Amino acid sequence: MIRFNLRFSPTLARTLRGYTGEDLRADVAAGITVGVVALPLAMAFGIASGVKPEQGIFTAIIAGFLISALGGSRVQIGGPAGAFVVLLYAIVERYGVASLLISTFMAGILLFVMGALRLGNLIRFIPVSIVIGFTSGIAVIIALQQVKDFFGLSIEKMPGNFFSQIAALWGAIHTINWQAVALGGVSLLILALWPTNVSPGAPNWRRVLVRVPSTIVALALGTLAVAVAGLPVETIGSRFGGIPQGLPSLAIPEFNWATAQNLVMPTISIALLGAIESLLCARVADSLIGDRHDPNQELMAQGIANFVAPFFGGIAATGTVARTVTNIRVGARTPIAGIIHASTLLLVILALAPLAKNIPMATLAAILLFVAWNMGDWREFLRLRQFSVNYRSILLTTFLLTVVFDITVAVEVGLGMAALFFIYRISSLTRIEQITLPQDYSHTPTGHRVAAYRVFGSLFFGSVTKLEQLLDPAQAQADVVVLEMHQVINLDTTGLDALEELNRQLGRRGGRLVIAEPNEQPLSLMRRSGFFETLGADSVFDELEEALKAVASVQAGHTPAA
């Protein structure tokens, strides 16, 4: 039963009980590290989403703080995410930045309502094939969008759809900036080759290097190269004019119902994608720390974060796997680490914003290319032969539709295919087998022919045709039909309607339908619908043997019980 969850209980409140100085030191160290890691990613995701780089940072600060302070996970880090890039860019391209902000805070309301209605666990019903398909598709689109900046191509504005992007890139191939390519290539090598772990006997300098995030190294060296060597490449300063110091003032986006009506599907898409990403991220975190998050509290926190962030120019936010895993690996213990992460970003933007004007777009493109590579589950494509045709079809269809069209269409079609395949699979498992009866049980005292069948599986709208075959005029018809339903796990209203029709047809011939060994759910539906009274208590038995004996000893016709 769906009901509002009036208990608003952030994990932070629980973890602060018994909080120690050692916990604080661990959380501060982890929060600072993740804040440094999040800086280039927040800028890159903001730019890739079609907004200014500072809007990505504002999102990481405001939404990251709220998600940690109010969420249902101990260590999850929230902020702008790669999963949103394709969706947000399409919204900006079609409706503009103002509409993106409106759509984001409406999605925040929807997310909060989902959490209050305790729908957190329903997200787990989305098949893994769909998640892998759209995640890998998003990775391809992110990578494609970075080709322009990585190669320094002269394209005024990248279009929003796949084929137009390919055409635009091909048309500008003659404008390659080789300095940008060299800078992006070196940045990509740093990201790929920078050490991430050390052996027990490694020298101290290598231990120090491991503690420095590769994204910061690439960003710092790229910025230094532009500032010192004066490389003729596009930078944040040349494209956006730099990054302002401090957070923006509170501003309410212009809202009108005419605009809101056009944003219904984008709003739903942001909410669903945010819910999926955040809860998947929380599950990954649980597996690493041996904890269990509160999915409904997490959704409510995500809702508040996405509602508040747009009032400060922020974009959609969700749980981020890479930053959350980093948070765990560097020793985070409680949501305080996420709050420190947001505070670190705020201090950086207050102190170092003027330096951002020299950050090269080619380096940010390399960072996003690296993110896209790690985002896609490419090994799953190599293993497709090991899985069923249904799994392969859903994954590949979702992947291709995400790349060619958009994530909303991909998820809708993927869910539709998953539902159809599930219906087909369950209906194929449902079967009806005739039971060979002894001579004493094959006829009633009045000479009516008796047939008994054992039903397996689920009698629902996808399998009722198998029940209708019992009335096939091309076959010899019994006057009394006994259905042994001990292995029927589910009966829906369509299956019930088929049973009622079978009973009516048998009644016209002076026969009847007898049910034996029904399970709790089918019997409950038969009682609630009145079908039990129609059959009569003398036509429903707890044992098959009891039912056959009763049929063989009475007249075929019967009077329903009062």
Side-chain angles (χ1 to χ4, degrees):
M1 178 180 178
I2 295 178
R3 58 185 177 86
F4 274 97
N5 180 12
L6 300 178
R7 184 179 62 86
F8 190 84
S9 180
T11 297
L12 177 63
R14 171 171 57 85
T15 57
L16 286 180
R17 292 192 289 269
Y19 195 71
T20 65
E22 184 181 350
D23 293 331
L24 179 60
R25 287 190 292 273
D27 285 337
V28 169
I32 293 174
T33 302
V34 178
V36 172
V37 171
L39 178 64
L41 294 176
M43 287 191 294
F45 288 141
I47 294 169
S49 299
V51 298
K52 296 179 179 180
E54 61 264 28
Q55 290 180 266
I57 300 176
F58 298 156
T59 305
I61 294 171
I62 298 167
F65 173 85
L66 292 172
I67 289 170
S68 293
L70 305 176
S73 172
R74 278 174 48 201
V75 293
Q76 177 151 271
I77 300 295
F84 276 131
V85 165
V86 178
L87 177 60
L88 302 190
Y89 188 86
I91 295 173
V92 172
E93 179 77 11
R94 183 175 301 178
Y95 302 108
V97 175
S99 294
L100 171 62
L101 300 182
I102 293 171
S103 188
T104 300
F105 78 71
M106 290 197 303
I109 296 172
L110 184 55
L111 279 165
F112 186 89
V113 171
M114 290 168 65
L117 290 175
R118 305 172 67 97
L119 299 180
N121 287 322
L122 294 183
I123 301 300
R124 300 188 180 190
F125 292 170
I126 297 178
V128 67
S129 54
I130 293 178
V131 175
I132 292 173
F134 79 68
T135 302
S136 301
I138 289 170
V140 170
I141 294 298
I142 291 174
L144 184 63
Q145 289 178 340
Q146 305 320 304
V147 173
K148 168 185 176 293
D149 290 332
F150 188 86
F151 288 95
L153 302 179
S154 297
I155 301 175
E156 183 176 349
K157 184 174 177 60
M158 283 289 287
N161 67 80
F162 175 76
F163 293 109
S164 297
Q165 288 176 348
I166 295 293
L169 293 171
W170 181 254
I173 195 72
H174 63 283
T175 65
I176 289 179
N177 182 332
W178 291 107
Q179 287 92 338
V181 175
L183 188 58
V186 171
S187 300
L188 199 55
L189 285 174
I190 292 172
L191 294 167
L193 301 178
W194 193 258
T196 57
N197 53 64
V198 293
S199 58
N204 290 335
W205 64 267
R206 187 174 178 86
R207 294 178 183 276
V208 173
L209 288 182
V210 169
R211 292 181 176 274
V212 181
S214 60
T215 52
I216 290 298
V217 176
L219 194 70
L221 293 180
T223 304
L224 186 63
V226 171
V228 174
L231 296 178
V233 297
E234 191 172 27
T235 65
I236 284 182
S238 64
R239 181 180 294 184
F240 302 103
I243 293 177
Q245 285 182 286
L247 290 175
S249 57
L250 177 67
I252 301 176
E254 184 179 349
F255 181 86
N256 61 74
W257 285 110
T259 301
Q261 290 173 2
N262 293 327
L263 298 176
V264 172
M265 285 309 300
T267 295
I268 295 174
S269 299
I270 291 174
L272 289 179
L273 184 56
I276 294 169
E277 283 293 308
S278 63
L279 297 182
L280 285 176
C281 179
R283 289 176 64 186
V284 170
D286 287 349
S287 67
L288 292 175
I289 65 175
D291 194 27
R292 184 167 185 174
H293 72 284
D294 181 343
N296 300 310
Q297 182 66 38
E298 188 63 34
L299 286 183
M300 287 189 282
Q302 298 284 340
I304 294 172
N306 281 282
F307 180 83
V308 173
F311 291 101
F312 295 89
I315 57 177
T318 186
T320 57
V321 175
R323 276 158 276 176
T324 297
V325 172
T326 300
N327 192 39
I328 295 170
R329 287 178 176 171
V330 294
R333 299 184 182 182
T334 74
I336 293 293
I339 295 174
I340 297 297
H341 136 268
S343 303
T344 301
L345 285 171
L346 178 59
L347 291 175
V348 168
I349 198 173
L350 289 175
L352 304 177
L355 299 178
K357 65 180 181 180
N358 290 320
I359 294 176
M361 300 303 298
T363 295
L364 288 177
I367 290 172
L368 283 179
L369 284 171
F370 189 69
V371 169
W373 173 256
N374 289 300
M375 185 177 176
D377 196 346
W378 313 117
R379 293 180 181 177
E380 197 71 8
F381 288 82
L382 299 177
R383 298 170 54 222
L384 281 179
R385 289 186 179 181
Q386 302 176 17
F387 300 104
S388 67
V389 173
N390 294 356
Y391 181 92
R392 295 198 297 265
S393 300
I394 294 170
L395 191 154
L396 291 175
T397 299
T398 306
F399 171 76
L400 292 174
L401 289 178
T402 300
V403 173
V404 176
F405 292 99
D406 62 61
I407 188 172
T408 305
V409 173
V411 173
E412 288 173 351
V413 174
L415 286 173
M417 291 179 64
L420 290 175
F421 284 138
F422 177 77
I423 291 169
Y424 174 77
R425 177 61 175 164
I426 295 300
S427 65
S428 66
L429 293 175
T430 302
R431 65 185 192 275
I432 299 177
E433 298 178 352
Q434 187 165 4
I435 301 172
T436 302
L437 298 178
Q439 186 65 31
D440 294 344
Y441 290 160
S442 61
H443 291 82
T444 67
T446 56
H448 288 90
R449 180 172 174 270
V450 179
Y453 300 89
R454 184 169 286 112
V455 187
F456 301 85
S458 175
L459 284 177
F460 72 117
F461 63 90
S463 63
V464 292
T465 53
K466 298 183 179 182
L467 192 63
E468 293 168 353
Q469 292 174 2
L470 301 183
L471 298 172
D472 187 355
Q475 300 179 2
Q477 298 294 303
D479 302 299
V480 178
V481 172
V482 180
L483 296 181
E484 193 268 284
M485 298 177 62
H486 176 64
Q487 298 189 69
V488 174
I489 60 174
N490 175 69
L491 175 70
D492 74 352
T493 52
T494 305
L496 178 66
D497 183 69
L499 290 177
E500 291 174 337
E501 179 60 25
L502 177 60
N503 185 54
R504 283 193 292 269
Q505 298 246 11
L506 292 170
R508 293 190 189 104
R509 298 202 296 266
R512 61 170 169 151
L513 174 65
V514 176
I515 304 293
E517 303 183 31
N519 280 319
E520 181 179 350
Q521 190 276 333
L523 183 59
S524 174
L525 180 58
M526 287 189 284
R527 290 185 187 277
R528 286 183 282 114
S529 66
F531 185 53
F532 183 89
E533 288 74 17
T534 300
L535 284 176
D538 59 338
S539 291
V540 181
F541 297 89
D542 293 333
E543 299 290 340
L544 176 62
E545 184 72 17
E546 181 184 355
L548 293 175
K549 288 180 178 179
V551 168
S553 63
V554 300
Q555 301 292 327
H558 74 294
T559 301

